[in-house]
Amino acid sequence: MAELGVNEHHQNEVVSYMRFARFKRGMCLKTVDSCFQNLKDSRLVEETFTVDEVTDMLDGLQSVVHSEVESELINTTYTNVLLLRQLFSQAEKWYLKLQTDVSDLENRELLDQVAEFEKSEYTSSNKKSTADPIKPKLAPLNEGGSELLNKTVAHLQEENEKLKTRLRTIETQATAALDEKSKLEKSLRDLQMIQGDQKDITELENKVAALKSQFEKTLNDTTANQKFLEEDLVTTKHDLLKVQDQLSTAEKELEKKFQQTAAYRNMKEILTKKNEQIKDLRRRLSKYESED
């Protein structure tokens, strides 16, 4: 059997439309035949006619047939437009833009291929039983269009959760760094108290110098780590805001409104508090460095 170069489902849709077109074509031909038959029954009642009478009958027949054929051609055009509208509407639900090549509509080779397909399909359909199986209809236009948005929202939500997890990890690291800094500050205060004791002053001075050197090294490492954490926090915050903005845009298309979650506001407050704590620690560190 001739093929059209499309998958089985689409070929079945083409066959369904060709059956509809064949039916409409048959009705049009019956109408034209009826026009001629009416002329025979109503006007051809005498054995001889003058030239004017024949001309008048042919003019009347031409007018009737012209009107019927024109009406059928117009209806066929409108029918094809409705068919294209169904296809385009379904494509738009999936954000697709279909294109047509009008020049192919006059391609004789392709037209012959369609004619051969119709002939083959019509021949094979005559061999089947008169009860044709029910063909699947086009997918409803109001279904499936939101599936892409749902997938996008799910993906953005997943990215949002990943960023939240990453942010919690960074906050834990920042808290650990703050605890370590507090311990070092306490050790420094203890050393300063010991300096008031005159016993074994040399040994204490050596210990103070060693602890001070260690403290300075640790302080430098802590400062670098804090800078990295600050940059990472800013980057993570930007990524989080970007994902939440994308998520909000997708939700606007589904729900036509935007609601800012309490979790986001809490997270923003936590970030603000952590930034203030880091700034305070840096001021305190600067104070100790100036004293040294």
Side-chain angles (χ1 to χ4, degrees), residues 120-180:
S120 175
E121 178 63 26
Y122 182 72
T123 301
S124 62
S125 63
N126 288 337
K127 297 179 181 180
K128 298 178 182 179
S129 61
T130 56
D132 292 330
I134 299 176
K135 298 296 182 180
K137 297 182 178 180
L138 291 174
L141 297 180
N142 59 348
E143 295 181 3
S146 61
E147 183 175 351
L148 182 60
L149 283 177
N150 290 332
K151 291 182 178 179
T152 302
V153 170
H155 175 71
L156 291 175
Q157 289 176 340
E158 182 180 355
E159 290 295 327
N160 190 24
E161 291 299 326
K162 289 181 180 179
L163 286 174
K164 288 181 179 179
T165 302
R166 183 182 177 189
L167 183 60
R168 287 193 293 268
T169 301
I170 293 174
E171 289 176 352
T172 301
Q173 294 176 353
T175 302
L178 291 174
D179 292 340
E180 183 67 21

Side-chain angles (χ1 to χ4, degrees), residues 252-289:
K252 281 181 180 179
E253 295 180 13
L254 292 175
E255 301 177 358
K256 302 297 182 182
K257 63 180 180 179
F258 173 79
Q259 294 182 350
Q260 188 175 14
T261 61
Y264 174 78
R265 293 194 296 268
N266 293 335
M267 184 180 300
K268 186 174 181 180
E269 292 177 1
I270 292 174
L271 286 175
T272 302
K273 292 179 180 180
K274 295 302 181 181
N275 287 333
E276 292 297 327
Q277 291 177 358
I278 291 175
K279 291 179 180 178
D280 181 64
L281 289 175
R282 294 185 66 180
R283 287 195 298 268
R284 295 171 64 183
L285 289 174
S286 299
K287 178 180 178 181
Y288 287 120
E289 289 175 352

Side-chain angles (χ1 to χ4, degrees), residues 69-80:
V69 173
E70 181 183 26
S71 176
E72 185 61 28
L73 290 175
I74 293 174
N75 185 68
T76 300
T77 300
Y78 294 164
T79 301
N80 290 334

Side-chain angles (χ1 to χ4, degrees), residues 158-268:
E158 182 180 355
E159 290 295 327
N160 190 24
E161 291 299 326
K162 289 181 180 179
L163 286 174
K164 288 181 179 179
T165 302
R166 183 182 177 189
L167 183 60
R168 287 193 293 268
T169 301
I170 293 174
E171 289 176 352
T172 301
Q173 294 176 353
T175 302
L178 291 174
D179 292 340
E180 183 67 21
K181 184 176 179 296
S182 298
K183 293 178 181 179
L184 291 175
E185 289 176 347
K186 185 177 182 301
S187 298
L188 182 60
R189 288 194 298 269
D190 293 339
L191 289 174
Q192 289 174 346
M193 293 177 63
I194 295 175
Q195 286 178 349
D197 192 353
Q198 297 300 321
K199 295 179 181 180
D200 299 326
I201 188 64
T202 303
E203 182 179 356
L204 290 175
E205 287 179 350
N206 293 334
K207 289 182 179 181
V208 169
L211 288 174
K212 183 177 180 181
S213 176
Q214 182 181 0
F215 174 76
E216 289 177 351
K217 180 178 181 301
T218 304
L219 184 62
N220 291 333
D221 293 340
T222 302
T223 302
N225 190 30
Q226 286 177 343
K227 183 177 180 181
F228 171 77
L229 291 176
E230 288 177 357
E231 293 176 353
D232 203 2
L233 281 171
V234 172
T235 301
T236 303
K237 182 178 178 181
H238 289 170
D239 291 342
L240 179 61
L241 291 176
K242 180 179 179 181
V243 170
Q244 288 183 334
D245 182 65
Q246 294 175 350
L247 179 60
S248 298
T249 302
E251 290 176 344
K252 281 181 180 179
E253 295 180 13
L254 292 175
E255 301 177 358
K256 302 297 182 182
K257 63 180 180 179
F258 173 79
Q259 294 182 350
Q260 188 175 14
T261 61
Y264 174 78
R265 293 194 296 268
N266 293 335
M267 184 180 300
K268 186 174 181 180

Side-chain angles (χ1 to χ4, degrees), residues 19-29 72 75-76 79:
R19 289 177 180 174
F20 168 76
R22 176 185 287 272
F23 170 77
K24 299 293 290 185
R25 186 168 66 244
M27 295 296 295
C28 181
L29 293 176
E72 185 61 28
N75 185 68
T76 300
T79 301

